[in-house]
Amino acid sequence: MNVTDILESFLFNKDLIRIFLLILAISFLKLIIQLIQAKKINSKINDLANNSIELTPEEFMLIRNKRLYDEKARHANIKNFPGVYILHNKTKDLYYVGQSIKVLDRIGNHFKGRGNGDVYADFKYGDQFTIRTIALENSEFSNLNDLERYAIRFFGAYEKGYNRNKGNKSK
């Protein structure tokens, strides 16, 4: 049996054609669903970068950890951005302000115990938190240090919050 015979038997076998079309339709549907999910995640991350939404740590982790298109890495990795993040302990009305070149990664670290120990302890023991960010490119500041110092001052994160200093000095 040569290639022509195999091709002819395939083309005249209605069951094989139906199976092929079904597989093609399922693959296309899966792609459409993933494109819609990516658009929603990207929109949430853009809103977060523009400081136009607040997320709980649980909502944040769902967005941050989503994998699409059979990706090995998290989809949010392509949307990571430099900026500051504001963690608000709503239970105690305390703030923590930090900065990072990759804000989404850094925020996740705080809620996994690899950030400010006091923030993590309060989160672990049930205090309610919200997360906000300000992307450096969406701010009026030219560097992260100035933006962070401003946010620490604005939210009172040094005087009555978790921050142990007033921010990094500009170089």
Side-chain angles (χ1 to χ4, degrees):
M1 188 176 255
N2 62 28
V3 173
T4 307
D5 294 336
I6 294 171
L7 189 58
E8 282 180 6
S9 70
F10 174 76
L11 291 175
F12 293 108
N13 187 330
K14 291 181 182 178
D15 290 335
L16 282 178
I17 292 173
R18 286 184 186 125
I19 291 170
F20 174 76
L21 290 175
L22 182 61
I23 291 170
L24 189 63
I26 290 170
S27 297
F28 182 72
L29 185 59
K30 183 178 176 185
L31 177 65
I32 296 297
I33 289 169
Q34 288 181 341
L35 287 171
I36 291 168
Q37 288 177 332
K39 186 175 180 179
K40 286 180 182 178
I41 290 169
N42 291 345
S43 176
K44 285 271 191 194
I45 292 171
N46 287 338
D47 288 346
L48 192 61
N50 291 324
N51 194 22
S52 59
I53 63 168
E54 263 186 356
L55 297 174
T56 66
E58 296 78 16
E59 292 169 329
F60 173 81
M61 293 305 241
L62 282 175
I63 291 168
R64 182 179 170 274
N65 294 333
K66 186 71 175 169
R67 294 180 192 326
L68 299 172
Y69 316 112
D70 300 322
E71 296 169 320
K72 291 182 182 177
R74 296 179 311 267
H75 180 74
N77 284 353
I78 62 173
K79 299 294 282 181
N80 235 326
F81 57 91
V84 300
Y85 53 93
I86 302 102
L87 308 179
H88 180 212
N89 179 331
K90 293 179 76 166
T91 305
K92 295 180 179 172
D93 196 26
L94 298 174
Y95 287 90
Y96 180 77
V97 175
Q99 65 165 290
S100 180
I101 299 297
K102 294 183 175 183
V103 167
L104 303 178
D105 288 344
R106 187 67 183 123
I107 293 168
N109 286 340
H110 280 284
F111 295 102
K112 291 179 179 178
R114 296 188 303 263
N116 182 291
D118 296 330
V119 168
Y120 180 68
D122 286 346
F123 173 70
K124 183 179 170 185
Y125 291 109
D127 288 0
Q128 299 300 306
F129 280 82
T130 59
I131 300 165
R132 293 170 61 191
T133 67
I134 304 169
L136 178 62
E137 74 176 359
N138 298 336
S139 75
E140 298 176 10
F141 294 90
S142 60
N143 64 68
L144 285 174
N145 291 336
D146 291 343
L147 176 57
E148 180 189 38
R149 273 195 317 282
Y150 172 80
I152 289 170
R153 201 169 42 250
F154 183 84
F155 289 101
Y158 173 71
E159 292 80 11
K160 55 180 178 166
Y162 294 104
N163 287 76
R164 294 186 179 110
N165 61 52
K166 296 180 181 181
N168 294 315
K169 302 288 184 220
S170 287
K171 296 177 182 176

